[in-house]
Amino acid sequence: MPFRPEPEFQHGRPARVGVLLCNLGTPDEATPAATRRYLAEFLSDPRVIEIPPALWKPILHGVILRTRPAKSAAKYRDIWTHDGSPLMVWSRKQATMLRGYLGERGHAVSVRLAMRYGNPSVASRLDELKADGCTRVLVVPLYPQYSGTTTASVFDAVADWARQVRHVPELRFVNRFHDDPGYIRALAHSVQQHWQIHGRPDKLVMSFHGVPERTLTLGDPYHCECLKTARLLAERLALKDGEWGVSFQSRFGKAKWLEPATQTVLEQLGRAGTRRVDVVCPGFVADCLETLEEIAIEGQESFKAAGGQDFHYIPCLNDDPLWLAALAEIVQDHLQGWPTRSADGSAAAATRERALAAGAKA
């Protein structure tokens, strides 16, 4: 098997440390063609669809990719911004701001953003980090709760790249940060800020992305980590029993998924005469189709159609300074023992302003 070309070796060039942030991905455009390409890659991942390929591929290519792209593209158009996909816009800002936060703390590291599916790919960004002279790379999947369907899939993509590389850099991975104090503090602050402006709801629903129930019985810790995140957030907000609940969204196919389903919960609350519901999505660190369309639009419609009155979606952490500071702490903790300090030990060479000016690289 031919290996990927190695960057030209430069004698005397100091070795660098790289940080690779990785989120799920998004179509390049809100069109059926672009959405089809994205879904074809996403739904071909055996981590996502645990059905034997011989059975799954005819369904995927014969049915799903013929009907679903147009419907999904229409939903993407509802949330698309002037700058493109919200997930990409926010993820780029996070990578840029992380570079600045780390620079202010004296860490001279290269930061890149990749998407597990679509562009920019994990392989292309790892190639860039090698070209930057990075001999050590920390991979940070932007999924707070570990799941084989998400976090482990990022590991697969890195391993696939490494199999094609002659000189593999030293690698580290962040598996999870579902109970990280800084992450929980940032979540609570975002909710409190919303309540300071809009008042408090009758019920706070914490909606997490769903996965098939069988993953829990097979040993995936995702469900337990979602519940722990929710409990810690509720404690931080000083919520009482009955004032909050957990649900799971984004069901796909006919298999039994984790329950209760977010749509079912919202409909039940509406029928019960609940005046106001707020929904927050702690499993997403950047707003995307699943939050802006599925929750803020469809969720609101379901709640009100069932008799509910007032619905509030609380945005994801996005570019919240508390969240970026927490992410910088998580990264810094995992970089321990690697030489990341700038020559003078200060942040002068990598202030936040310079990082923002170089944001296009993310």
Side-chain angles (χ1 to χ4, degrees):
M1 178 184 72
F3 294 104
R4 303 171 83 93
E6 289 289 324
E8 184 177 351
F9 180 74
Q10 299 179 29
H11 290 279
R13 182 184 190 184
R16 290 181 61 83
V17 170
V19 175
L20 181 69
L21 297 181
C22 190
N23 215 320
L24 185 73
T26 176
D28 295 323
E29 300 174 306
T31 64
T35 304
R36 184 178 294 107
R37 289 194 299 272
Y38 171 74
L39 290 176
E41 182 181 5
F42 174 48
L43 296 176
S44 295
D45 187 345
R47 291 281 191 181
V48 176
I49 305 294
E50 294 187 53
I51 298 175
L55 298 177
W56 174 240
K57 284 187 177 181
I59 299 173
L60 175 62
H61 294 279
V63 180
I64 294 174
L65 293 180
R66 293 177 181 271
T67 59
R68 188 165 178 178
K71 296 177 183 178
S72 295
K75 293 182 178 183
Y76 275 110
R77 284 195 295 272
D78 288 340
I79 65 163
W80 214 255
T81 73
H82 175 74
D83 296 318
S85 163
L87 177 66
M88 183 63 74
V89 171
W90 290 121
S91 296
R92 282 174 174 163
K93 287 184 178 180
Q94 289 174 356
T96 297
M97 293 177 69
L98 175 64
R99 186 185 303 114
Y101 274 81
L102 292 173
E104 287 184 338
R105 300 176 187 206
H107 298 286
V109 299
S110 295
V111 179
R112 291 289 187 276
L113 169 70
M115 293 293 173
R116 176 59 185 89
Y117 313 103
N119 298 306
S121 68
V122 170
S124 68
R125 288 311 205 192
L126 286 169
D127 283 341
E128 289 181 16
L129 289 173
K130 274 182 65 74
D132 280 352
C134 294
T135 59
R136 297 178 172 94
V137 176
L138 173 66
V139 181
V140 188
L142 290 171
Y143 310 121
Q145 298 79 24
Y146 178 97
S147 172
T149 62
T150 53
T151 317
S153 183
V154 174
F155 302 160
D156 290 346
V158 173
D160 289 343
W161 171 82
R163 277 193 289 268
Q164 303 174 52
V165 171
R166 187 177 303 277
H167 187 183
V168 178
E170 187 175 347
L171 296 167
R172 288 181 182 173
F173 297 90
V174 175
N175 272 28
R176 53 177 55 79
F177 50 91
H178 67 290
D179 57 355
D180 176 77
Y183 158 69
I184 299 296
R185 183 165 54 249
L187 279 175
H189 183 257
S190 71
V191 174
Q192 290 165 338
Q193 277 192 316
H194 187 88
W195 289 351
Q196 286 174 3
I197 298 171
H198 303 285
R200 294 172 68 95
D202 299 303
K203 185 95 169 187
L204 176 67
V205 175
M206 304 179 196
S207 180
F208 294 84
H209 197 287
V211 295
E213 188 180 73
R214 67 187 296 269
T215 62
L216 172 61
T217 61
L218 292 173
D220 196 304
Y222 178 73
H223 180 259
C224 297
E225 294 186 4
C226 289
L227 295 186
K228 185 172 184 180
T229 295
R231 176 176 59 79
L232 292 174
L233 177 56
E235 290 174 357
R236 184 87 186 184
L237 293 170
L239 294 175
K240 300 176 183 177
D241 291 345
E243 294 181 335
W244 63 282
V246 174
S247 63
F248 297 90
Q249 62 185 87
S250 306
R251 292 174 171 233
F252 176 76
K254 297 181 179 180
K256 184 175 177 60
W257 284 53
L258 293 179
E259 294 182 337
T262 298
Q263 183 174 352
T264 301
V265 167
L266 293 176
E267 291 173 350
Q268 289 174 344
L269 289 171
R271 286 194 294 269
T274 307
R275 185 188 63 82
R276 173 177 158 184
V277 164
D278 285 9
V279 181
V280 65
C281 298
F284 301 88
V285 298
D287 273 312
C288 55
L289 184 73
E290 287 79 5
T291 63
L292 297 175
E293 202 281 334
E294 185 177 354
I295 297 299
I297 297 176
E298 292 184 359
Q300 179 170 195
E301 291 174 351
S302 296
F303 176 65
K304 291 186 175 180
Q309 298 179 38
D310 197 8
F311 180 97
H312 286 234
Y313 166 65
I314 301 174
C316 290
L317 295 172
N318 295 328
D319 61 352
D320 185 322
L322 273 182
W323 152 238
L324 271 302
L327 181 60
E329 284 288 343
I330 293 168
V331 169
Q332 187 171 265
D333 287 346
H334 285 79
L335 290 176
Q336 288 187 35
W338 281 358
T340 62
R341 294 287 174 180
S342 52
D344 60 358
S346 73
T351 61
R352 188 183 307 172
E353 289 75 16
R354 290 191 185 183
L356 292 172
K361 277 193 172 183

